Amino acid sequence: MAYIGKASIKCYSHMENAIGYIAKQEKAMPLSQMKKYLEESFSHIKSVDTALGERTTFINCIPQTAYMEFEIMRRVFNQDKGVIAHHYYQSFQKDDNVTPEQAHKIGVELAKKMFPNFQVAIATHIDREHIHNHILVNSVNIMTGQKWYSNKRSLSDIRRESDRLCLENGLGIIKKNNKYQGIDRTTYQLGLKGKSWKINLVHDLDKAIGCCKSKDEFISFLNEKDYTVRYTDNHITVTKNSEKKGIRVDTLARQFGSKYTKESLERNMRYYTAPSGKPFTANNEKRAFHSAGKSNWEYYEQNIFRQNGCFPSTSDNIVRDYNTELLISAAKREVLYSHNIFDFVLKAILWLTLLSQRKKKKAPPVHYRKVGQLRITKPKPYFVYGNISYRELKETSGDTYSIKVGAEMLLNMIDQPILYSAKVNRADDSVTITIKDKDRKFLLELLEMQSKSEQLDDQSQRIKNQLMYTELKETAAQNSEKLQYLVITAEQKKILEDNCIKFAYFDKGDKINVAFLPEKAELIKKLIYPSKDKQIEETTQQKNARIYDNLKKNAALSGEKLRYKAKLTKAQLDTLINSDILFAYFTNKENKSLYNIAYESKDEDKIREVLTELNNYKAL
């Protein structure tokens, strides 16, 4: 498991010190001769080579001048005010047994996925008990000049991607149900004194569940308890009249359990009704999604649409405009060779639409083959259309969603607020449309195919599987290896999916044949054959942190302090572990061979009894 935290940098001295600190030789290990210059100044992703044992990587900049390059890029786009850089740290648990090389590889992959077209420095430090990465990100995108938006949503996206990479590399994570985030220290301390209005609210909600049977009764009950209630279709916000800020019940549920969500409260009070459908408009789904807070990908979308689809077209690694003369001529040929009047009309409309959107840009090169002295044009069996490249959709954060439909469906995509890449197959008049998974519902609404969502989801999964198989074969060929195969059950396939393992699969009767890279063979066997090797699970440190947080929550709710015992021996700890007492334990800071424990006051007598029996046994 890796914990992700961050800090914002707003002054030049802090920035310069940060780069110097993370690249310290005694922390990140010595650097060998790195490339003096990048092959291209502003490539999509071009990292400095890191030889075995080295743990510092620079993306879109070079180590000797990284600080100056960061500043120049901000000044070019007039973005040198406010936050000038973001400092993320990725800390691995001591129990993970992660190697420095593995930790650095995960850090670089995380940076490439989350910060495309940004200048980034990644360093892996081994100077403490736990291995950790420092990821320093310049605040401005080198292609668009847009700043990186640091908010809860972006941090959540980075943590989600970090968890995926940890699972993919065989490291465990803590799985939290219902987004449970634990009780904060202030609430805990005030709860012990009986002064936390949030905890009093939890008790009052419990009473409301027992006596209220309607929305009006619920609001009246809380009003009598000196609360103000704001009740909408989406949220219930409760404010103590003596407090400045209120709290949503869904936020309260993250700390005290899913019982207190809006839906759960309404169900328990027996007046819940399913939300009614809303009429669809082109931007309706987008607005609903943005109301939860924008990700950096959504800000990127906004920037693209603000420019009215005018994208640079000089590199295969960046967004391209595919409305070229080649596409228009290809659509024209499709019209000329249509034999069905209905198909003719639809293709004619597509051709005219492309023609109206023509831009004065150089067409992509036409592929040809030589026959003697003649040069015969060989058109591709497909042509590409869309407002973003497939590569950019694939390589940036967030899953993709692909479906195969009739080519005429492209007409529904024109001038809509959605980024997509489409591959039109000339042979069968079909088109494969790829979008970000978050836009799935929006796409189905545009194509008026909501009733076929399940079939299209299955189709998307098959397309993804085929693309994964192709990717795995290409990776294996580059490494001069062959893919490995294993026949497993559906339950074992689910285990691999839950642990983010890259594999392709093929049905084999009631079994499934999976294909994977040789380097994943050992990890896969550990996961699906727990009898042969223990399955990766929650570490001892993670388990104790979770138990300790639950103990604090219970103590705050009851108003009783937790009890602690310090400097227990290993024998005393093992005896308590074998009992039925719930407690959390941690290594003593002064003496690493001893342990401290935390437990509820009601278990005080039990713990004393167990330890007394152990001492008496030793005395005999």
Side-chain angles (χ1 to χ4, degrees):
M1 169 196 168
Y3 174 77
I4 299 289
K6 74 165 294 290
S8 296
I9 298 176
K10 297 184 178 181
C11 63
Y12 286 102
S13 60
H14 187 179
M15 177 71 173
E16 190 170 13
N17 292 338
I19 292 180
Y21 172 78
I22 72 170
K24 270 189 178 180
Q25 293 186 1
E26 63 269 23
K27 291 178 175 290
M29 294 190 67
L31 301 174
S32 67
Q33 286 295 324
M34 295 183 177
K35 289 181 179 179
K36 292 184 179 180
Y37 302 99
L38 299 179
E39 293 179 0
E40 298 178 8
S41 297
F42 305 131
S43 61
H44 178 66
I45 285 293
K46 188 74 68 172
S47 61
V48 176
D49 290 340
T50 53
L52 184 64
E54 294 182 349
R55 304 192 184 103
T56 305
T57 297
F58 290 79
I59 297 175
N60 293 329
C61 58
I62 56 176
Q64 294 84 353
T65 58
Y67 169 71
M68 293 176 59
E69 290 183 52
F70 278 28
E71 180 181 351
I72 290 171
M73 189 56 61
R74 293 192 304 272
R75 289 185 181 277
V76 164
F77 290 105
N78 195 26
Q79 295 278 26
D80 206 30
K81 296 180 180 178
V83 176
I84 60 176
H86 303 276
H87 187 175
Y88 292 90
Y89 50 91
Q90 184 183 34
S91 301
F92 296 89
Q93 293 288 343
K94 186 178 179 181
D95 294 341
D96 280 339
N97 295 321
V98 61
T99 65
E101 289 74 22
Q102 187 181 25
H104 188 71
K105 176 175 174 286
I106 291 173
V108 172
E109 289 181 0
L110 178 65
K112 286 183 176 181
K113 189 77 171 180
M114 298 307 306
F115 310 109
N117 297 329
F118 281 85
Q119 295 165 309
V120 189
I122 307 104
T124 303
H125 287 189
I126 56 174
D127 58 323
R128 297 191 179 181
E129 289 186 1
H130 62 280
I131 295 173
H132 56 282
N133 290 326
H134 291 271
I135 304 175
L136 197 63
V137 186
N138 197 13
S139 63
V140 65
N141 186 303
I142 65 176
M143 304 306 301
T144 66
Q146 177 179 304
K147 273 202 168 187
W148 174 262
Y149 290 88
S150 178
N151 51 31
K152 291 182 179 179
R153 178 73 175 276
S154 63
L155 184 59
S156 175
D157 290 343
I158 293 172
R159 285 173 173 167
R160 188 182 301 110
E161 182 63 23
S162 175
D163 284 350
R164 187 190 68 78
L165 289 170
C166 285
L167 286 172
E168 188 180 310
N169 286 274
L171 307 179
I173 64 169
I174 295 178
K175 295 182 179 180
K176 298 181 179 180
N177 296 323
N178 300 315
K179 299 181 180 179
Y180 177 71
Q181 63 187 22
I183 188 170
D184 61 90
R185 183 178 181 85
T186 301
T187 301
Y188 170 62
Q189 296 291 348
L190 291 174
L192 296 178
K193 301 175 183 177
K195 297 181 179 180
S196 170
W197 75 269
K198 291 181 183 179
I199 289 178
N200 292 336
L201 175 59
V202 170
H203 292 309
D204 290 332
L205 290 176
D206 288 334
K207 296 175 184 177
I209 290 172
C211 66
C212 298
K213 302 299 179 186
S214 69
K215 174 181 173 180
D216 291 337
E217 287 184 16
F218 176 68
I219 294 175
S220 298
F221 177 84
L222 290 182
N223 287 339
E224 292 175 2
K225 297 289 184 179
D226 201 27
Y227 298 103
T228 300
V229 182
R230 183 172 177 268
Y231 208 120
T232 68
D233 291 339
N234 299 319
H235 301 289
I236 302 174
T237 304
V238 184
T239 307
K240 188 71 173 176
N241 290 334
S242 58
E243 298 291 330
K244 293 182 180 180
K245 287 187 177 182
I247 187 170
R248 288 177 177 174
V249 293
D250 288 342
T251 303
L252 198 70
R254 295 176 191 172
Q255 294 185 326
F256 296 97
S258 59
K259 174 184 178 182
Y260 302 103
T261 63
K262 178 179 182 291
E263 181 177 335
S264 295
L265 289 170
E266 291 176 345
R267 286 184 184 277
N268 289 330
M269 288 183 279
R270 303 184 184 280
Y271 65 87
Y272 173 78
T273 55
S276 58
K278 296 181 179 179
F280 172 75
T281 60
N283 289 301
N284 185 50
E285 194 62 33
K286 288 281 184 178
R287 289 196 190 100
F289 193 82
H290 286 166
S291 64
K294 293 182 182 179
S295 66
N296 275 270
W297 176 261
E298 291 169 296
Y299 280 112
Y300 181 59
E301 283 181 318
Q302 188 181 62
N303 185 62
I304 287 179
F305 293 126
R306 187 185 296 118
Q307 296 177 24
N308 297 320
C310 298
F311 312 122
S313 57
T314 56
S315 170
D316 287 337
N317 295 330
I318 57 178
V319 178
R320 294 188 298 174
D321 181 5
Y322 294 108
N323 297 329
T324 63
E325 293 291 343
L326 180 64
L327 299 184
I328 296 171
S329 61
K332 182 178 179 180
R333 286 196 298 272
E334 296 293 334
V335 171
L336 294 177
Y337 289 101
S338 292
H339 301 290
N340 181 286
I341 186 63
F342 182 70
D343 288 343
F344 176 87
V345 172
L346 287 175
K347 290 174 181 176
I349 294 173
L350 176 59
W351 172 45
L352 292 173
T353 303
L354 290 171
L355 193 62
S356 67
Q357 293 185 344
R358 171 165 37 189
K359 299 183 185 298
K360 296 179 181 179
K361 293 190 176 183
K362 186 178 179 181
V366 177
H367 293 263
Y368 61 88
R369 59 187 176 90
K370 289 184 178 180
V371 180
Q373 298 299 320
L374 298 177
R375 193 178 271 187
I376 300 177
T377 300
K378 183 182 179 182
K380 289 184 178 181
Y382 63 87
F383 67 91
V384 185
Y385 184 73
N387 51 22
I388 191 171
S389 70
Y390 173 79
R391 178 171 180 174
E392 184 143 10
L393 281 172
K394 178 70 175 174
E395 293 187 352
T396 48
S397 63
D399 293 333
T400 56
Y401 181 81
S402 301
I403 58 174
K404 188 175 182 180
V405 294
E408 68 277 4
M409 289 294 183
L410 274 179
L411 297 174
N412 296 358
M413 306 290 294
I414 296 172
D415 294 330
Q416 292 296 333
I418 182 172
L419 292 180
Y420 69 97
S421 175
K423 187 175 181 180
V424 182
N425 190 327
R426 290 194 175 97
D428 59 2
D429 290 334
S430 66
V431 57
T432 301
I433 301 174
T434 301
I435 59 168
K436 283 296 186 184
D437 188 69
K438 70 178 182 62
D439 292 327
R440 169 187 161 278
K441 185 177 179 182
F442 183 64
L443 174 67
L444 298 184
E445 294 275 11
L446 284 176
L447 304 184
E448 298 181 352
M449 302 182 73
Q450 305 95 309
S451 61
K452 298 182 179 180
S453 61
E454 292 187 6
Q455 299 96 306
L456 292 175
D457 289 349
D458 291 339
Q459 184 192 82
S460 178
Q461 191 61 40
R462 290 195 300 272
I463 294 173
K464 276 186 179 180
N465 185 55
Q466 183 58 46
L467 292 173
M468 176 58 69
Y469 187 53
T470 302
E471 179 186 331
L472 291 174
K473 286 196 298 184
E474 291 176 352
T475 303
Q478 291 173 1
N479 298 332
S480 300
E481 298 174 335
K482 290 185 177 181
L483 292 181
Q484 292 193 15
Y485 296 83
L486 190 65
V487 178
I488 61 176
T489 65
E491 292 77 11
Q492 291 171 328
K493 174 176 172 283
K494 183 67 167 58
I495 292 173
L496 297 185
E497 290 173 341
D498 290 343
N499 285 275
C500 301
I501 304 300
K502 288 185 177 179
F503 68 93
Y505 63 92
F506 312 92
D507 292 334
K508 190 173 183 179
D510 59 343
K511 300 281 188 176
I512 299 169
N513 192 16
V514 295
F516 50 89
L517 294 173
E519 64 190 47
K520 296 297 181 183
E522 184 178 350
L523 174 58
I524 287 174
K525 290 177 181 178
K526 286 181 179 180
L527 290 169
I528 65 177
Y529 299 131
S531 58
K532 294 184 178 181
D533 201 340
K534 191 175 181 182
Q535 187 175 344
I536 294 175
E537 58 184 18
E538 187 180 44
T539 66
T540 300
Q541 187 173 357
Q542 295 166 1
K543 180 180 178 181
N544 275 287
R546 175 175 55 79
I547 293 174
Y548 184 54
D549 198 72
N550 284 331
L551 289 172
K552 288 197 297 181
K553 183 190 77 171
N554 294 337
L557 288 171
S558 64
E560 296 183 359
K561 290 185 178 181
L562 286 180
R563 299 298 178 90
Y564 297 88
K565 281 192 179 298
K567 298 184 178 180
L568 298 182
T569 64
K570 185 65 167 60
Q572 290 174 319
L573 180 66
D574 290 341
T575 303
L576 289 173
I577 290 175
N578 292 328
S579 69
D580 60 352
I581 303 171
L582 182 66
F583 68 96
Y585 66 90
F586 310 95
T587 303
N588 185 277
K589 291 183 179 180
E590 297 176 0
N591 188 336
K592 300 297 182 181
S593 63
L594 300 178
Y595 301 88
N596 301 339
I597 64 172
Y599 53 92
E600 294 184 82
S601 58
K602 65 182 179 62
D603 293 323
E604 175 75 31
D605 294 337
K606 290 183 180 179
I607 287 180
R608 185 185 297 112
E609 182 180 341
V610 169
L611 295 179
T612 300
E613 288 181 0
L614 177 63
N615 292 334
N616 292 337
Y617 175 78
K618 285 184 175 182
L620 294 175

